[in-house]
Amino acid sequence: VINVEESKQNKPSITRPPQSWVAPLSLDPKAIYQGSFRQCALYNKAKLELFGDHENKYHLFQRKTFFEDDAMSNVQTCYEYFKENNPLKLKERVRYPKQMRLHEKYIPGHKSAIKEWNEESGKHRKVSFYPGTRLDGLISRCEIFGESITETFRDRYDSLTSRCLHVRESSENQTKAMRLPGLAKAKLSV
């Protein structure tokens, strides 16, 4: 004789887990993918902008702009920061619009091996290069527009350490014409 009560007790029972006390998780796809976004925060005489991964082709991810006035119409300084995988290998750019100055820093891997670029528009430009990365050994080039160009070298095969070119206006009677070898019609004024 089989006891029905005992067979029910020996039979494994399937139990359900208790219900969760937390609301079901739901995510908006736009909130997950932030590849293309731009956020802006305004402060006292300052503005902070954040950019997404694919917002611009040079991978700018942050810009801090400082203003001279409360109306935020005259830019004093602008700092721009770039991600490492940008095609220009640009790391940081600082602009001073009133003085027309620009300062850029690069990460290693730039095609011209540029380390820093300082320029004041119409006055001078100084470019520094990563040492040992250029075949010509150039480590800096300083141009004072209309006056001189100075290049500094390191570890060159011909032991050249610097080269300087001074520019000056010439009068008509002091100009001598020289023919360059290999070029039939080219003349160089000295």
Side-chain angles (χ1 to χ4, degrees):
V1 176
I2 300 175
N3 190 350
V4 177
E5 291 294 320
E6 287 180 7
S7 66
K8 284 184 180 177
Q9 289 176 355
N10 291 340
K11 190 176 184 181
S13 65
I14 300 173
T15 59
R16 293 186 181 187
Q19 286 191 352
S20 176
W21 58 89
V22 180
L25 181 63
S26 65
L27 298 174
D28 183 19
K30 292 179 183 176
I32 296 171
Y33 178 72
Q34 295 184 355
S36 181
F37 77 95
R38 182 176 177 179
Q39 295 177 345
C40 181
L42 299 176
Y43 299 97
N44 183 26
K45 297 184 182 181
K47 178 169 72 169
L48 174 66
E49 296 171 277
L50 301 173
F51 301 93
D53 289 339
H54 307 289
E55 190 66 27
N56 53 60
K57 65 181 182 179
Y58 297 117
H59 301 274
L60 173 68
F61 75 89
Q62 183 180 44
R63 179 185 294 143
K64 296 187 286 188
T65 309
F66 296 95
F67 299 92
E68 293 178 348
D69 55 344
D70 291 331
M72 295 173 46
S73 58
N74 295 325
V75 177
Q76 180 181 3
T77 310
C78 181
Y79 296 89
E80 296 175 332
Y81 301 98
F82 299 84
K83 292 193 176 188
E84 287 189 19
N85 60 348
N86 70 73
L88 294 178
K89 302 297 183 188
L90 190 58
K91 178 182 178 183
E92 173 184 333
R93 177 187 293 146
V94 183
R95 292 184 288 140
Y96 305 91
K98 290 276 184 171
Q99 296 91 8
M100 295 179 15
R101 283 184 16 217
L102 174 71
H103 179 80
E104 295 178 338
K105 292 181 181 178
Y106 294 84
I107 58 175
H110 187 272
K111 65 179 180 179
S112 298
I114 296 175
K115 183 178 183 180
E116 288 190 39
W117 182 289
N118 291 301
E119 183 172 350
E120 189 167 350
S121 185
K123 293 185 179 179
H124 68 85
R125 176 184 307 136
K126 182 172 183 187
V127 182
S128 301
F129 301 93
Y130 282 99
T133 55
R134 292 181 55 103
L135 294 176
D136 61 357
L138 185 64
I139 57 171
S140 71
R141 177 184 173 98
C142 183
E143 299 176 48
I144 300 173
F145 301 132
E147 292 181 25
S148 67
I149 300 173
T150 306
E151 296 178 331
T152 308
F153 300 92
R154 182 184 298 163
D155 298 331
R156 275 184 61 111
Y157 64 93
D158 58 358
S159 301
L160 181 67
T161 58
S162 66
R163 178 170 40 200
C164 187
L165 169 74
H166 292 282
V167 180
R168 63 185 165 124
E169 292 185 27
S170 64
S171 62
E172 290 293 324
N173 56 4
Q174 290 182 348
T175 304
K176 297 179 184 176
M178 292 178 56
R179 291 207 180 272
L180 296 175
L183 300 174
K185 296 183 180 180
K187 289 185 180 180
L188 176 65
S189 295
V190 180

